[in-house]
Amino acid sequence: MVLDTTTTRLEELVLEEFQAFLARHLTDTDSTRELVGVAQQLEQKETLAVQYTIELRHLFDEVPAPEDIRGFLFRVWVEVLALATVRLGPQHEQTLALRKVAGDLVAMSSAKPGRVERVQAIRDLPALLERLRQGMALLGLTAQQQDTHIKTVNDTLAQAFLSKTQALSPEQVD
């Protein structure tokens, strides 16, 4: 009985000393602090991606968008926004510009029944596509991956140009 109690107490002391050792040495190195920082940034990015997904869901409750555009925004663009927010900050000029791209893309993908709307969309399209590429580059997507997404977006936007349905109102675009 005495031996079991002594052995148990000794094991507890060894465990406590080992944990104290690990705590001291794992948190004292630069690489460990860097690793902890990266882990925190990843967690923050994932949290932001969820928040941006919720924001997009609210947007789509009020504004219709083609399924391909919705899919792109949910799969790719929320990751771009989350990464930009972590790296640059939520109020950074580039982060705010990338946030605006989501709304611009939804507006661009709505029907363009009038000539004036089509001309304006054609004029705005190259800048929008360039901002999409910049965001995807920030995310680290290869040129081939970017091309695949851009092709899907282009095809969907081409359908919007041909559509004769009602365009989004200025209030919906805002």
Side-chain angles (χ1 to χ4, degrees):
M1 281 292 221
V2 173
L3 187 57
D4 286 339
T5 305
T6 305
T7 304
T8 302
R9 181 66 188 134
L10 181 62
E11 289 172 348
E12 288 173 357
L13 284 171
V14 169
L15 179 60
E16 288 172 10
E17 285 296 317
F18 181 66
Q19 288 173 335
F21 169 81
L22 287 176
R24 271 192 318 272
H25 291 287
L26 286 180
T27 58
D28 285 346
T29 64
D30 288 336
S31 62
T32 302
R33 272 185 247 134
E34 185 178 314
L35 185 61
V36 168
V38 169
Q40 287 172 336
Q41 285 180 342
L42 284 172
E43 185 176 334
Q44 183 183 16
K45 179 185 160 284
E46 292 303 317
T47 300
L48 287 166
V50 169
Q51 289 174 347
Y52 284 125
T53 299
I54 292 168
E55 283 184 30
L56 281 175
R57 289 199 190 286
H58 289 297
L59 171 69
F60 293 138
D61 285 344
E62 298 176 17
V63 180
E67 197 58 42
D68 287 339
I69 298 298
R70 292 169 67 109
F72 172 77
L73 290 172
F74 282 128
R75 284 189 311 276
V76 177
W77 208 249
V78 295
E79 296 293 326
V80 168
L81 293 175
L83 187 60
T85 302
V86 168
R87 285 189 181 169
L88 305 171
Q91 298 304 314
H92 189 274
E93 180 182 331
Q94 187 177 357
T95 303
L96 295 174
L98 291 171
R99 284 185 67 141
K100 186 179 179 312
V101 168
D104 291 348
L105 185 57
V106 170
M108 182 82 67
S109 68
S110 72
K112 306 286 179 269
R115 184 181 187 286
V116 173
E117 293 96 352
R118 286 192 294 273
V119 168
Q120 183 64 42
I122 289 169
R123 187 179 2 215
D124 295 343
L125 184 60
L128 176 65
L129 295 176
E130 180 59 30
R131 290 190 313 251
L132 290 173
R133 284 196 182 277
Q134 288 170 352
M136 289 187 288
L138 177 69
L139 198 57
L141 297 182
T142 65
Q144 183 178 4
Q145 291 169 317
Q146 290 179 30
D147 289 344
T148 301
H149 290 300
I150 292 294
K151 181 181 179 343
T152 301
V153 167
N154 263 334
D155 291 348
T156 303
L157 296 179
Q159 290 172 4
F161 281 81
L162 300 174
S163 178
K164 300 295 182 195
T165 61
Q166 184 66 26
L168 291 177
S169 70
E171 295 79 25
Q172 287 176 308
V173 170
D174 288 339

